[in-house]
Each structure stands twice: as structure tokens, then as C-alpha cells.
Amino acid sequence: MKTIELKTILFSMLTIVFFAVNAVAQEAEKTNVTDSNAKGNNTAMSAKTDAGTATAANATVAERLEALQAKVEAQEEQIKTLSQQQQMAKEDRDDLSMQVMEANAAAADEKFTISGFLDLSHTASFAKYDDAITYYYQPKYNSFYQTGVNLYLKSQMTETLSALVETRFSYSPNGNITNKSQVTRVDGVETARTGDPDPNKGFERTDTYAKYQFEGGTRLGGVNIERAHLDWKPRDWFGIRAGRYLTPFGIWNEDHGSPVVLTVALPFLISWDVVPTAQTGLMVFGSIFPTDLLKLEYAVTLSNGRGPTENFFDTDHNKAIGLRTKIQVAGEDWLISLGGYGYYGKYTDIETEMITEYRIDETGTQVLDDVNYDLAQRSNDVITDKHKEYIGTVDLKLNWKGLTLFGEAGARKSEYLVRPETVSYGTTIWAADFITNSAYGMLAYQLPLEKVFDTLTITPFVGVDYLDLSDANDTSKFGIYRFGINIKPSPYVTLKANAYRVDSLGEGVDEKTWFVKSQVAVSF
Amino acid sequence: MKLFKSKFISGIYWLMCSFSFSSAMPVQAESPDDLVVIVNHKFAGTELSATEVRRIFKKEMTTFMGNRVKPIHAKTGTSLRQEFISKALGINLAAEQKYWQDMAVKKGMSPPIELSNTVRGVFSAPGAISYCYRKDFNPATARIVLEF
């Protein structure tokens, strides 16, 4: 029993050991498997980790690429912007160049200019008498006429220095009537025949016909220097003018161009040279603006005065002086202007001759007389006419909206120092002192058409004009009543039509002659 | 004292009222399309009257405070030029042309130079005076001396 029990115990113990060993083995195997699994897992983990690392690396590159791409895009954008800016800068530079060129061209345009004007007129007259005395002074026949072409050259050399030349190309002197006959009759019998202005000559007209060498020919014209002067004007209130200049008097004389003045025919004050229209010498001038409304102008003239050659040479030592003052008050649509000019000078006409003194010497020979004369040969000026001229003018202009009232009056007193003499039929006549008076007034209204027409202006006008050529002569008084219209279809063209009646106001010459004149004037 | 106090308070009240009233007064607002007259920085004078501007652009006035002035116009036909001569000279383009044609005959004068960019013109020339719209104005390049 005890043996069985022992065996049983042993067997049980062996079984337990077996199972234990088996279990251990199994456990060990399990452990191996687990290890290997673990190893595998580790490998997998390791692989997994490697794969993660790779993924991360891939992601960085992509980001970098993206960043790079973004950077490239940004740079491209920047390049595009820069390119645009460059283009703009280029355009800007081109624009600047254009500006400079444009400014230079504009400055050049302002620096030197050529302009001018011309006109064509027509005249017709209607007199009660075909032999009216008016025709001695005014044109008789229905005619087109053209007085010439005025050309201006203006240069602004520096800011203060400028020059202006105005020349008039004309058909003159061809056709100029230089002397007219004057016949005196008593009881129908001619008692005297003289000439005007030369009493010893009859009718004379200049003919400038020049024959060509072989066939035909042409009538020559002339060039008149209306004004040619240098201006130095450092300030508005002070300028000096040197050369030949328009006398700064009144309204008409400085306006003077046919496209600017209102009527076809000039007022007597201008056409009869009551005041010298131009002078050669110096002028100091200027204007000041004390207030927004007020403008004051002045001019002092010093010139050769009037004379037979005064435009380029004087025939006496005396210089003519003149003073111009003008006050102008102007608002937005109104203006009042009042001016005056005073002038004093001497007119001298001379004939220069040479005198040679001889004596008969001891041998009977004619020799220069240097014994009795310091200068055996000398010059001598024979004064044929010398007179003082006192001239005064006033001018007034009132303007309110389109309505303008303006006028001028002038008087000249001629006082002889050497009286020119005229001999007629053996009788010597000396010129008497005389006074010339003239005045005109005009009323004009520019129709308010600016809202209807951009460029067209229409200005009807009426006016009166008076001339007393000499208070020593009762037959030389004239009055004019005029009316007409001035039309400007463009700033460059002026059309005029006016009618006027000339009344001879002298004793025994009570005549009234109508004239109709029209004109087209162009400025360019 | 009481009376003085009440008068004082009443005075303050009226002052405030008048201030608030004046504050409520309409003030002309600046618009980019305003026309302004501009000058070069070296131009003498800080402001000009409308009459002075008119005289300068008609070349009646060629110096200002002892210095030469150079008027510069915008190109003919531009709205800027048209607006300026209408406001400053009180005439239209045709009347302006007529004025200069007349001045050419009377005095041999020519109109001011014309530039397409008046601001640049003013910037580059001492004594220059011109005009532009406010939106085109640059304080670095010019000074405003008159506003329309």
C-alpha cells in the first residue's frame, strides 16, 4: 500500500514536473514567440518610425517647395511690379522729355513771333455837286483800295529786353499826288495859279513804273518803318524805349491797325497828323497799380520832333519833349479811362549849301581866301521853315458792359520863327501862325451774342468828327457824321461797313457829301 | 453782484449760442475739382487777388514785388483752360483769342506759353504762375496763392 502510494506520489510528482517543465517550455516558447513577435514588433515599430521620419522629411520638402513656389511667385509679382514701375518711369521720363521739348518750343514761340495784318477796302461817294471841294481832300471815285501789309517781328531776348519792328509794305509812293493846283478866280477870271504845297509847281503825281530790261515793267512799292524799337523794362513802373515808336497819345494812334479799330476811315485827328503819329528818340514809360481798381500810366518822350527827315535825322539841335499821363479805373464790367498828352518841339527845314571864298592874289590868280576868312570853304544851312509846335490832346473812354463811349480832342499851335515864303504872280506870301483843332467822339455797342455765338461779335456804332485845319483859313473846316457796323466772325477777321457824311463847314463851301466805305481786315 | 453774475452767465450763454450758430454756418468744402492758382516756390508773395491774376495773365502786370512773373496757360481747348479764363478773366475762349489778336496788332504782344502739365511747368520755372485742379496739386511742387 505504502509502495503504491509512493509510486503514486512519485508519478504525480513526475507528472507535475512534466507538466511544469512542459508549461515552462511552453512558456519559454511563448516567450520566444513573444520576443520574436516583440522583435518583429520592434522592427515594425522601427520600420514604422523610419516611415514616419520619411513622411516628415517629405512634408518639409513640400513645404519648402511651397515656400519656394510662393517666394518665386512673390518675386515674380515683385518683378512684375518693378517692370510696371520701370515702364511708368520710362513713360514718365518720356513725358518729362516731352514737357521739356514742349516748354522749350513754347518758350521759343514766346521768344520770337511774326504777325501782321492786311485789309481790302471799298469806297463810294455821293455828292450833290460833282465838283465838290470835298473831293480835293477825299476820294471821289468808286474804288477798291488796299493801303498795304503790316508785318510785325517781335523778339523777347531776355526777361527784360525785347525788340519790336513793324514795317508797312505799301504801293506808295506810286500814285501819290505830291502837288495839287490851286486856282484863284475873280469874276470868273483866273488871277492866280499856285500849287499845294509847292506854289511854284502844278499838279504832280509820282509814277514808280520801272521798265524791265527787255519787255514789260512793274510799278515799285515802298516799305515804311512804322516803328522799330528796343525796350528795356525791368519793372512795370519803369521801362526805356529807344528807336522809332508810336507817339503814346490817345486811343486810336496806338490801336492803329485796321483789324482793331472800329471804322474804315481814320478820324481827322490821326489822318491829318495833328499830332506826330510816331517819333524817333527815347521814351521812358511805365504803369503802376495802386489798387485792384486803379491803374496809372505815364510816358516821357524825347525825340527829334517833327521835321522833313525826323525819322532818321534831325535838322536842328532842339529836341521835342512830351508827357503822357493816363488814369484808368476798372471794375468787372466797367471802365473809365482818362488820358492826356502834351508835346513841344520845333520843326525845321533846311537847305545845306557849300560856300567857297576866293580872292585874287597879287599875280591876278583866283585863290582860296584864307586871309579874310578862317575857313575859306565852309557849309551853310539855309533855314527855309522853322516853327514851334505846341500840341495838347485829351482822351476819354467809358465802358459799361458792351457799351463804349470814347473820344479824343487835340490842338496844335504852329508859331513861326522862320516863315516859309511863297511867291505867286510876283507876290511874296509868308505863312501865318495857325492853330489846328480836331476832335471825334464815338458811341458803340457790342451786342450780347456770346451766349448764342462763341466767336461772333457785332458792334454797331455812331460818331462825329471835326477838323479845323487852320484858324487862318476859313475854308478848311469839316465835320463828319458817321454810323456803321463792325462784325468779327472770328478773332482773325473783321468786316466793316460804314457810311459818313462830310460837311464842308467853311465859308462859301456849304457842301454835304456822303461816303460809303466797307472793309475786310485780317490779322495773322 | 447777483445782477453781475446773471449778466455774466447770460453773456456766456449768448456767446455760446453765437458760437454754435457760427459753427452751424455753412463752410465751403474743398473739392478735388476746385480750380487753384499756383506759383513756383520762389515766387514772391503768399497770395494774389483775382485782379492781380487777371492782370498777370493779360500781361498788363509783368513783375510782382520786384520779380518777373511768367504766366503759364493750360493747353487751348482743355476744360482747365476754359474754366480758368472764365473765372479769372471773365471771358470765353473766343474772346481771349480776340484779345490776343488785338494785342498783337496794338503792341506786338503774344499770349502766355501753353503747357499740357501746368504743375510741372510751375515747378521748373522760378516766377512761374499757373493753375490746376486741386486733385492735381502737390505741395512739394508749388504753392497755392488763390482759389476759385
Side-chain angles (χ1 to χ4, degrees), chain A residues 117-422:
Chain A
F117 68 87
L118 59 90
D119 54 63
L120 175 69
S121 308
H122 181 268
T123 182
S125 66
F126 307 90
K128 186 177 177 184
Y129 304 101
D130 199 42
D131 53 357
I133 186 66
T134 309
Y135 293 136
Y136 189 76
Y137 302 100
Q138 299 282 332
K140 182 177 183 177
Y141 301 102
N142 174 342
S143 172
F144 288 106
Y145 64 99
Q146 187 174 38
T147 51
V149 178
N150 283 44
L151 196 64
Y152 294 70
L153 305 173
K154 170 82 188 281
S155 176
Q156 186 76 42
M157 288 87 76
T158 70
E159 283 186 350
T160 56
L161 205 62
S162 64
L164 173 66
V165 175
E166 181 187 354
T167 50
R168 185 171 183 82
F169 297 91
S170 73
Y171 303 103
S172 181
N174 184 61
N176 287 2
I177 296 171
T178 54
N179 218 57
K180 293 177 180 175
S181 298
Q182 292 190 334
V183 178
T184 305
R185 289 183 180 178
V186 178
D187 294 332
V189 179
E190 182 178 316
T191 57
R193 178 176 283 269
T194 61
D196 176 21
D198 187 339
N200 299 311
K201 289 181 181 173
F203 180 85
E204 277 186 357
R205 181 167 55 205
T206 306
D207 187 351
T208 61
Y209 186 80
K211 198 175 179 312
Y212 293 142
Q213 188 176 1
F214 299 109
E215 287 178 356
T218 184
R219 286 202 158 78
L220 301 173
V223 179
N224 178 35
I225 300 173
E226 299 255 315
R227 50 181 157 172
H229 53 77
L230 176 76
D231 281 7
W232 178 62
K233 194 181 172 194
R235 296 284 187 275
D236 283 327
W237 55 268
F238 181 75
I240 298 176
R241 181 165 291 171
R244 184 153 182 84
Y245 50 81
L246 298 180
T247 302
F249 80 94
I251 300 163
W252 209 285
N253 192 50
E254 288 191 288
D255 287 359
H256 89 281
S258 55
V260 176
V261 297
L262 207 55
T263 64
V264 180
L266 301 175
F268 286 136
L269 182 70
I270 306 297
S271 60
W272 283 91
D273 285 340
V274 178
V275 187
T277 53
Q279 298 177 53
T280 300
L282 300 170
M283 182 166 94
V284 176
F285 64 100
S287 54
I288 54 172
F289 307 91
T291 70
D292 270 357
L293 294 179
L294 190 61
K295 180 183 179 185
L296 303 173
E297 290 178 21
Y298 79 94
V300 180
T301 58
L302 179 72
S303 71
N304 286 341
R306 240 199 284 242
T309 59
E310 47 94 5
N311 51 358
F312 64 93
F313 197 75
D314 205 355
T315 45
D316 61 30
H317 289 304
N318 302 292
K319 293 291 160 280
I321 53 169
L323 174 65
R324 161 73 167 169
T325 54
K326 185 179 167 186
I327 179 168
Q328 182 180 296
V329 190
E332 203 165 300
D333 54 6
W334 59 273
L335 176 143
I336 302 169
S337 168
L338 177 66
Y341 180 68
Y343 169 97
Y344 169 73
K346 283 178 185 165
Y347 176 101
T348 308
D349 197 359
I350 55 170
E351 290 175 6
T352 304
E353 57 192 15
M354 184 171 72
I355 299 171
T356 308
E357 302 285 353
Y358 292 98
R359 67 180 175 84
I360 308 297
D361 68 6
E362 299 77 17
T363 62
T365 311
Q366 182 177 301
V367 294
L368 284 174
D369 187 357
D370 49 4
V371 176
N372 298 310
Y373 298 95
D374 289 338
L375 294 171
Q377 195 167 48
R378 59 189 185 275
S379 68
N380 181 46
D381 286 345
V382 177
I383 300 173
T384 55
D385 181 350
K386 189 179 187 86
H387 62 267
K388 294 178 185 173
E389 287 191 321
Y390 302 90
I391 298 171
T393 70
V394 289
D395 57 274
L396 175 70
K397 189 174 187 178
L398 306 173
N399 185 286
W400 179 66
K401 295 187 186 290
L403 192 67
T404 307
L405 174 68
F406 66 97
E408 295 179 62
R412 180 182 75 217
K413 183 182 180 186
S414 300
E415 204 176 275
Y416 282 95
L417 301 171
V418 176
R419 296 176 192 278
E421 53 183 60
T422 57

Side-chain angles (χ1 to χ4, degrees), chain B residues 105-142:
Chain B
V105 172
K106 290 177 186 178
K107 299 183 177 179
M109 285 170 66
S110 54
I113 61 168
E114 294 181 357
L115 293 177
S116 49
N117 190 331
T118 56
V119 180
R120 280 212 177 119
V122 166
F123 174 68
S124 57
I129 174 170
S130 190
Y131 46 86
C132 65
Y133 291 119
R134 191 186 296 280
K135 62 189 173 194
D136 300 321
F137 170 69
N138 180 353
T141 56

Side-chain angles (χ1 to χ4, degrees), chain B residues 21-29:
Chain B
F21 176 73
S22 63
S23 304
M25 292 274 281
V27 177
Q28 195 177 353

Side-chain angles (χ1 to χ4, degrees), chain A residues 13-34:
Chain A
M13 285 178 70
L14 282 170
T15 305
I16 289 167
V17 168
F18 172 77
F19 277 107
V21 170
N22 194 31
V24 168
Q26 277 185 351
E27 192 62 31
E29 195 177 337
K30 259 185 188 174
T31 305
N32 284 341
V33 169
T34 308

